[in-house]
mmCIF file of all heavy atoms in Angstrom:
data_model
loop_
_atom_site.group_PDB
_atom_site.id
_atom_site.type_symbol
_atom_site.label_atom_id
_atom_site.label_comp_id
_atom_site.label_asym_id
_atom_site.label_seq_id
_atom_site.Cartn_x
_atom_site.Cartn_y
_atom_site.Cartn_z
ATOM 1 N N ASN L 803 0.103 -19.365 14.331
ATOM 2 C CA ASN L 803 1.505 -19.506 14.785
ATOM 3 C C ASN L 803 2.396 -18.234 14.516
ATOM 4 O O ASN L 803 3.582 -18.268 14.708
ATOM 5 C CB ASN L 803 2.153 -20.711 14.214
ATOM 6 C CG ASN L 803 2.269 -20.625 12.613
ATOM 7 O OD1 ASN L 803 1.924 -19.518 12.056
ATOM 8 N ND2 ASN L 803 2.714 -21.647 12.002
ATOM 9 N N GLY L 804 1.717 -17.184 13.994
ATOM 10 C CA GLY L 804 2.528 -15.962 13.698
ATOM 11 C C GLY L 804 3.389 -15.988 12.491
ATOM 12 O O GLY L 804 4.064 -15.022 12.189
ATOM 13 N N ASP L 805 3.278 -17.032 11.649
ATOM 14 C CA ASP L 805 4.085 -17.102 10.430
ATOM 15 C C ASP L 805 3.320 -16.530 9.219
ATOM 16 O O ASP L 805 2.539 -17.172 8.632
ATOM 17 C CB ASP L 805 4.427 -18.558 10.197
ATOM 18 C CG ASP L 805 5.268 -18.791 8.922
ATOM 19 O OD1 ASP L 805 5.736 -17.816 8.331
ATOM 20 O OD2 ASP L 805 5.524 -19.925 8.547
ATOM 21 N N TRP L 806 3.658 -15.299 8.911
ATOM 22 C CA TRP L 806 2.914 -14.649 7.745
ATOM 23 C C TRP L 806 3.348 -15.229 6.417
ATOM 24 O O TRP L 806 2.578 -15.074 5.441
ATOM 25 C CB TRP L 806 3.191 -13.102 7.766
ATOM 26 C CG TRP L 806 2.433 -12.418 8.920
ATOM 27 C CD1 TRP L 806 2.955 -11.985 10.063
ATOM 28 C CD2 TRP L 806 1.000 -12.204 8.934
ATOM 29 N NE1 TRP L 806 1.908 -11.485 10.832
ATOM 30 C CE2 TRP L 806 0.739 -11.588 10.146
ATOM 31 C CE3 TRP L 806 -0.025 -12.400 8.014
ATOM 32 C CZ2 TRP L 806 -0.487 -11.167 10.475
ATOM 33 C CZ3 TRP L 806 -1.321 -11.997 8.362
ATOM 34 C CH2 TRP L 806 -1.568 -11.387 9.578
ATOM 35 N N SER L 807 4.490 -15.908 6.325
ATOM 36 C CA SER L 807 4.834 -16.515 5.065
ATOM 37 C C SER L 807 3.913 -17.580 4.579
ATOM 38 O O SER L 807 3.845 -17.896 3.368
ATOM 39 C CB SER L 807 6.284 -17.055 5.131
ATOM 40 O OG SER L 807 6.308 -18.198 5.982
ATOM 41 N N GLN L 808 3.078 -18.059 5.472
ATOM 42 C CA GLN L 808 2.142 -19.120 5.091
ATOM 43 C C GLN L 808 1.004 -18.583 4.183
ATOM 44 O O GLN L 808 0.296 -19.387 3.638
ATOM 45 C CB GLN L 808 1.471 -19.820 6.305
ATOM 46 C CG GLN L 808 0.577 -18.879 7.109
ATOM 47 C CD GLN L 808 0.163 -19.574 8.402
ATOM 48 O OE1 GLN L 808 0.444 -20.714 8.634
ATOM 49 N NE2 GLN L 808 -0.514 -18.799 9.223
ATOM 50 N N TYR L 809 0.948 -17.314 4.031
ATOM 51 C CA TYR L 809 -0.072 -16.741 3.157
ATOM 52 C C TYR L 809 0.351 -16.478 1.746
ATOM 53 O O TYR L 809 -0.475 -15.986 0.922
ATOM 54 C CB TYR L 809 -0.587 -15.435 3.767
ATOM 55 C CG TYR L 809 -1.291 -15.677 5.051
ATOM 56 C CD1 TYR L 809 -0.721 -15.411 6.271
ATOM 57 C CD2 TYR L 809 -2.620 -16.190 5.010
ATOM 58 C CE1 TYR L 809 -1.386 -15.642 7.425
ATOM 59 C CE2 TYR L 809 -3.324 -16.422 6.175
ATOM 60 C CZ TYR L 809 -2.745 -16.165 7.411
ATOM 61 O OH TYR L 809 -3.331 -16.445 8.506
ATOM 62 N N HIS L 810 1.545 -16.923 1.345
ATOM 63 C CA HIS L 810 1.931 -16.857 -0.051
ATOM 64 C C HIS L 810 1.027 -17.753 -0.870
ATOM 65 O O HIS L 810 1.009 -19.010 -0.517
ATOM 66 C CB HIS L 810 3.411 -17.184 -0.208
ATOM 67 C CG HIS L 810 3.964 -16.773 -1.529
ATOM 68 N ND1 HIS L 810 3.726 -17.586 -2.641
ATOM 69 C CD2 HIS L 810 4.719 -15.747 -1.910
ATOM 70 C CE1 HIS L 810 4.352 -16.974 -3.684
ATOM 71 N NE2 HIS L 810 4.932 -15.921 -3.259
ATOM 72 N N ILE L 811 0.347 -17.288 -1.825
ATOM 73 C CA ILE L 811 -0.573 -18.122 -2.628
ATOM 74 C C ILE L 811 0.048 -19.183 -3.389
ATOM 75 O O ILE L 811 -0.481 -20.308 -3.624
ATOM 76 C CB ILE L 811 -1.518 -17.311 -3.431
ATOM 77 C CG1 ILE L 811 -2.731 -18.145 -3.879
ATOM 78 C CG2 ILE L 811 -0.817 -16.682 -4.598
ATOM 79 C CD1 ILE L 811 -3.914 -17.402 -4.410
ATOM 80 N N HIS L 812 1.290 -18.979 -3.891
ATOM 81 C CA HIS L 812 2.018 -20.010 -4.722
ATOM 82 C C HIS L 812 3.194 -20.456 -3.861
ATOM 83 O O HIS L 812 3.625 -19.818 -2.983
ATOM 84 C CB HIS L 812 2.485 -19.492 -5.990
ATOM 85 C CG HIS L 812 1.276 -18.980 -6.860
ATOM 86 N ND1 HIS L 812 0.267 -19.767 -7.260
ATOM 87 C CD2 HIS L 812 0.973 -17.753 -7.330
ATOM 88 C CE1 HIS L 812 -0.547 -19.139 -8.043
ATOM 89 N NE2 HIS L 812 -0.222 -17.821 -8.039
ATOM 90 N N HIS L 813 3.659 -21.639 -4.201
ATOM 91 C CA HIS L 813 4.806 -22.238 -3.543
ATOM 92 C C HIS L 813 4.538 -22.381 -2.052
ATOM 93 O O HIS L 813 5.357 -22.064 -1.175
ATOM 94 C CB HIS L 813 6.113 -21.350 -3.734
ATOM 95 C CG HIS L 813 6.307 -20.892 -5.144
ATOM 96 N ND1 HIS L 813 6.573 -21.743 -6.080
ATOM 97 C CD2 HIS L 813 6.239 -19.704 -5.664
ATOM 98 C CE1 HIS L 813 6.646 -21.126 -7.213
ATOM 99 N NE2 HIS L 813 6.468 -19.812 -7.041
ATOM 100 N N ASN L 814 3.388 -22.765 -1.710
ATOM 101 C CA ASN L 814 2.938 -22.902 -0.303
ATOM 102 C C ASN L 814 2.139 -24.184 -0.064
ATOM 103 O O ASN L 814 1.122 -24.361 -0.682
ATOM 104 C CB ASN L 814 2.047 -21.667 0.006
ATOM 105 C CG ASN L 814 1.651 -21.628 1.456
ATOM 106 O OD1 ASN L 814 1.680 -22.614 2.188
ATOM 107 N ND2 ASN L 814 1.134 -20.464 1.864
ATOM 108 N N ASP L 815 2.656 -25.058 0.716
ATOM 109 C CA ASP L 815 1.959 -26.254 0.959
ATOM 110 C C ASP L 815 1.068 -26.281 2.193
ATOM 111 O O ASP L 815 0.536 -27.235 2.578
ATOM 112 C CB ASP L 815 3.015 -27.447 1.098
ATOM 113 C CG ASP L 815 3.914 -27.309 2.208
ATOM 114 O OD1 ASP L 815 3.794 -26.313 2.924
ATOM 115 O OD2 ASP L 815 4.793 -28.190 2.380
ATOM 116 N N ARG L 816 0.867 -25.043 2.762
ATOM 117 C CA ARG L 816 0.036 -24.953 3.952
ATOM 118 C C ARG L 816 -1.355 -25.092 3.678
ATOM 119 O O ARG L 816 -2.228 -25.369 4.480
ATOM 120 C CB ARG L 816 0.297 -23.615 4.669
ATOM 121 C CG ARG L 816 1.598 -23.526 5.296
ATOM 122 C CD ARG L 816 1.744 -23.709 6.752
ATOM 123 N NE ARG L 816 0.648 -23.245 7.470
ATOM 124 C CZ ARG L 816 0.363 -23.638 8.635
ATOM 125 N NH1 ARG L 816 1.106 -24.539 9.264
ATOM 126 N NH2 ARG L 816 -0.687 -23.187 9.388
ATOM 127 N N HIS L 817 -1.807 -24.737 2.389
ATOM 128 C CA HIS L 817 -3.194 -24.857 1.947
ATOM 129 C C HIS L 817 -4.103 -24.022 2.940
ATOM 130 O O HIS L 817 -4.926 -24.604 3.691
ATOM 131 C CB HIS L 817 -3.626 -26.351 1.855
ATOM 132 C CG HIS L 817 -5.059 -26.493 1.446
ATOM 133 N ND1 HIS L 817 -5.727 -27.578 1.606
ATOM 134 C CD2 HIS L 817 -5.878 -25.640 0.869
ATOM 135 C CE1 HIS L 817 -6.938 -27.530 1.150
ATOM 136 N NE2 HIS L 817 -7.087 -26.310 0.668
ATOM 137 N N TRP L 818 -3.888 -22.745 2.876
ATOM 138 C CA TRP L 818 -4.613 -21.811 3.799
ATOM 139 C C TRP L 818 -6.074 -21.419 3.293
ATOM 140 O O TRP L 818 -6.690 -20.697 3.958
ATOM 141 C CB TRP L 818 -3.822 -20.615 4.137
ATOM 142 C CG TRP L 818 -3.247 -19.886 2.964
ATOM 143 C CD1 TRP L 818 -2.023 -20.010 2.452
ATOM 144 C CD2 TRP L 818 -3.946 -18.873 2.295
ATOM 145 N NE1 TRP L 818 -1.880 -19.119 1.425
ATOM 146 C CE2 TRP L 818 -3.025 -18.388 1.360
ATOM 147 C CE3 TRP L 818 -5.170 -18.244 2.368
ATOM 148 C CZ2 TRP L 818 -3.324 -17.392 0.394
ATOM 149 C CZ3 TRP L 818 -5.464 -17.229 1.470
ATOM 150 C CH2 TRP L 818 -4.522 -16.791 0.533
ATOM 151 N N TRP L 819 -6.442 -21.931 2.119
ATOM 152 C CA TRP L 819 -7.771 -21.528 1.637
ATOM 153 C C TRP L 819 -8.456 -22.604 0.832
ATOM 154 O O TRP L 819 -7.782 -23.493 0.384
ATOM 155 C CB TRP L 819 -7.617 -20.331 0.658
ATOM 156 C CG TRP L 819 -6.693 -20.569 -0.434
ATOM 157 C CD1 TRP L 819 -5.329 -20.413 -0.438
ATOM 158 C CD2 TRP L 819 -6.981 -21.285 -1.659
ATOM 159 N NE1 TRP L 819 -4.825 -20.915 -1.588
ATOM 160 C CE2 TRP L 819 -5.830 -21.390 -2.432
ATOM 161 C CE3 TRP L 819 -8.211 -21.690 -2.313
ATOM 162 C CZ2 TRP L 819 -5.788 -21.991 -3.657
ATOM 163 C CZ3 TRP L 819 -8.165 -22.239 -3.498
ATOM 164 C CH2 TRP L 819 -6.957 -22.405 -4.200
ATOM 165 N N GLY L 820 -9.752 -22.634 0.759
ATOM 166 C CA GLY L 820 -10.542 -23.488 -0.039
ATOM 167 C C GLY L 820 -10.475 -25.019 0.367
ATOM 168 O O GLY L 820 -9.863 -25.393 1.319
ATOM 169 N N THR L 821 -11.054 -25.814 -0.512
ATOM 170 C CA THR L 821 -11.109 -27.265 -0.302
ATOM 171 C C THR L 821 -9.915 -27.859 -1.003
ATOM 172 O O THR L 821 -9.177 -27.155 -1.801
ATOM 173 C CB THR L 821 -12.384 -27.819 -0.963
ATOM 174 O OG1 THR L 821 -12.322 -27.664 -2.387
ATOM 175 C CG2 THR L 821 -13.718 -27.224 -0.425
ATOM 176 N N GLU L 822 -9.685 -29.106 -0.843
ATOM 177 C CA GLU L 822 -8.577 -29.797 -1.478
ATOM 178 C C GLU L 822 -8.699 -29.761 -2.976
ATOM 179 O O GLU L 822 -7.748 -29.500 -3.753
ATOM 180 C CB GLU L 822 -8.448 -31.270 -1.025
ATOM 181 C CG GLU L 822 -8.068 -31.423 0.422
ATOM 182 C CD GLU L 822 -6.617 -31.116 0.727
ATOM 183 O OE1 GLU L 822 -5.808 -31.075 -0.212
ATOM 184 O OE2 GLU L 822 -6.326 -30.660 1.808
ATOM 185 N N ASP L 823 -9.908 -29.939 -3.431
ATOM 186 C CA ASP L 823 -10.192 -29.902 -4.940
ATOM 187 C C ASP L 823 -9.897 -28.541 -5.507
ATOM 188 O O ASP L 823 -9.345 -28.409 -6.578
ATOM 189 C CB ASP L 823 -11.563 -30.386 -5.252
ATOM 190 C CG ASP L 823 -11.865 -31.808 -5.057
ATOM 191 O OD1 ASP L 823 -10.861 -32.585 -5.036
ATOM 192 O OD2 ASP L 823 -12.988 -32.238 -4.972
ATOM 193 N N GLN L 824 -10.364 -27.471 -4.842
ATOM 194 C CA GLN L 824 -10.117 -26.037 -5.279
ATOM 195 C C GLN L 824 -8.682 -25.800 -5.297
ATOM 196 O O GLN L 824 -8.118 -25.177 -6.230
ATOM 197 C CB GLN L 824 -10.883 -25.076 -4.325
ATOM 198 C CG GLN L 824 -12.381 -25.140 -4.502
ATOM 199 C CD GLN L 824 -13.052 -24.362 -3.424
ATOM 200 O OE1 GLN L 824 -12.528 -24.197 -2.311
ATOM 201 N NE2 GLN L 824 -14.175 -23.812 -3.723
ATOM 202 N N PHE L 825 -7.953 -26.179 -4.262
ATOM 203 C CA PHE L 825 -6.475 -25.940 -4.134
ATOM 204 C C PHE L 825 -5.805 -26.679 -5.388
ATOM 205 O O PHE L 825 -4.963 -26.089 -5.991
ATOM 206 C CB PHE L 825 -5.956 -26.435 -2.840
ATOM 207 C CG PHE L 825 -4.519 -26.139 -2.568
ATOM 208 C CD1 PHE L 825 -4.213 -24.894 -2.121
ATOM 209 C CD2 PHE L 825 -3.505 -27.044 -2.810
ATOM 210 C CE1 PHE L 825 -2.867 -24.555 -1.869
ATOM 211 C CE2 PHE L 825 -2.176 -26.739 -2.600
ATOM 212 C CZ PHE L 825 -1.874 -25.481 -2.111
ATOM 213 N N ALA L 826 -6.163 -27.883 -5.599
ATOM 214 C CA ALA L 826 -5.579 -28.676 -6.698
ATOM 215 C C ALA L 826 -5.844 -28.022 -8.054
ATOM 216 O O ALA L 826 -4.977 -27.967 -8.922
ATOM 217 C CB ALA L 826 -6.063 -30.108 -6.671
ATOM 218 N N GLN L 827 -7.066 -27.485 -8.230
ATOM 219 C CA GLN L 827 -7.401 -26.865 -9.517
ATOM 220 C C GLN L 827 -6.611 -25.632 -9.677
ATOM 221 O O GLN L 827 -6.104 -25.413 -10.809
ATOM 222 C CB GLN L 827 -8.931 -26.534 -9.499
ATOM 223 C CG GLN L 827 -9.380 -26.013 -10.813
ATOM 224 C CD GLN L 827 -10.888 -25.742 -10.796
ATOM 225 O OE1 GLN L 827 -11.523 -25.782 -9.712
ATOM 226 N NE2 GLN L 827 -11.423 -25.418 -11.931
ATOM 227 N N VAL L 828 -6.412 -24.788 -8.700
ATOM 228 C CA VAL L 828 -5.686 -23.561 -8.898
ATOM 229 C C VAL L 828 -4.174 -23.923 -9.077
ATOM 230 O O VAL L 828 -3.504 -23.278 -9.886
ATOM 231 C CB VAL L 828 -5.862 -22.612 -7.693
ATOM 232 C CG1 VAL L 828 -4.925 -21.477 -7.691
ATOM 233 C CG2 VAL L 828 -7.298 -22.085 -7.640
ATOM 234 N N GLN L 829 -3.687 -24.873 -8.329
ATOM 235 C CA GLN L 829 -2.256 -25.268 -8.481
ATOM 236 C C GLN L 829 -2.045 -25.763 -9.927
ATOM 237 O O GLN L 829 -0.991 -25.408 -10.581
ATOM 238 C CB GLN L 829 -1.951 -26.337 -7.513
ATOM 239 C CG GLN L 829 -0.438 -26.786 -7.528
ATOM 240 C CD GLN L 829 0.484 -25.661 -7.102
ATOM 241 O OE1 GLN L 829 0.163 -24.801 -6.426
ATOM 242 N NE2 GLN L 829 1.674 -25.671 -7.761
ATOM 243 N N GLN L 830 -2.961 -26.554 -10.491
ATOM 244 C CA GLN L 830 -2.788 -27.043 -11.861
ATOM 245 C C GLN L 830 -2.739 -25.817 -12.810
ATOM 246 O O GLN L 830 -1.964 -25.846 -13.723
ATOM 247 C CB GLN L 830 -3.893 -27.994 -12.224
ATOM 248 C CG GLN L 830 -3.832 -28.507 -13.611
ATOM 249 C CD GLN L 830 -5.046 -29.446 -13.974
ATOM 250 O OE1 GLN L 830 -6.023 -29.456 -13.416
ATOM 251 N NE2 GLN L 830 -4.788 -30.226 -14.967
ATOM 252 N N GLY L 831 -3.674 -24.917 -12.602
ATOM 253 C CA GLY L 831 -3.675 -23.763 -13.443
ATOM 254 C C GLY L 831 -2.415 -22.886 -13.410
ATOM 255 O O GLY L 831 -1.875 -22.441 -14.436
ATOM 256 N N TYR L 832 -1.862 -22.785 -12.191
ATOM 257 C CA TYR L 832 -0.599 -22.119 -12.028
ATOM 258 C C TYR L 832 0.452 -22.793 -12.726
ATOM 259 O O TYR L 832 1.344 -22.149 -13.367
ATOM 260 C CB TYR L 832 -0.306 -21.969 -10.524
ATOM 261 C CG TYR L 832 1.030 -21.328 -10.279
ATOM 262 C CD1 TYR L 832 1.331 -19.981 -10.384
ATOM 263 C CD2 TYR L 832 2.103 -22.214 -9.857
ATOM 264 C CE1 TYR L 832 2.554 -19.499 -10.237
ATOM 265 C CE2 TYR L 832 3.410 -21.649 -9.681
ATOM 266 C CZ TYR L 832 3.611 -20.301 -9.817
ATOM 267 O OH TYR L 832 4.903 -19.797 -9.630
ATOM 268 N N GLU L 833 0.542 -24.113 -12.659
ATOM 269 C CA GLU L 833 1.613 -24.857 -13.291
ATOM 270 C C GLU L 833 1.490 -24.793 -14.825
ATOM 271 O O GLU L 833 2.481 -24.705 -15.501
ATOM 272 C CB GLU L 833 1.550 -26.305 -12.838
ATOM 273 C CG GLU L 833 1.995 -26.513 -11.399
ATOM 274 C CD GLU L 833 1.733 -27.903 -10.843
ATOM 275 O OE1 GLU L 833 1.247 -28.784 -11.584
ATOM 276 O OE2 GLU L 833 1.988 -28.017 -9.576
#
C-alpha cells in the first residue's frame, strides 16, 4: 500500500514479520 511507516519494528500493530508467537515474544522482550 506504499506505507513505509508499517516497517517500524516497535509501536507497530501491522505485524510485518514472523509468526504470531515470534511477534509476541519480541514484543514481550521490548516491554
Side-chain angles (χ1 to χ4, degrees):
N803 65 4
D805 180 7
W806 286 104
S807 70
Q808 68 187 353
Y809 291 103
H810 193 283
I811 194 163
H812 301 298
H813 315 294
N814 183 343
D815 62 1
R816 293 260 323 161
H817 181 196
W818 52 265
W819 57 271
T821 66
E822 292 291 333
D823 288 341
Q824 290 169 330
F825 188 82
Q827 183 178 12
V828 169
Q829 184 63 29
Q830 180 183 19
Y832 173 75
E833 290 169 4

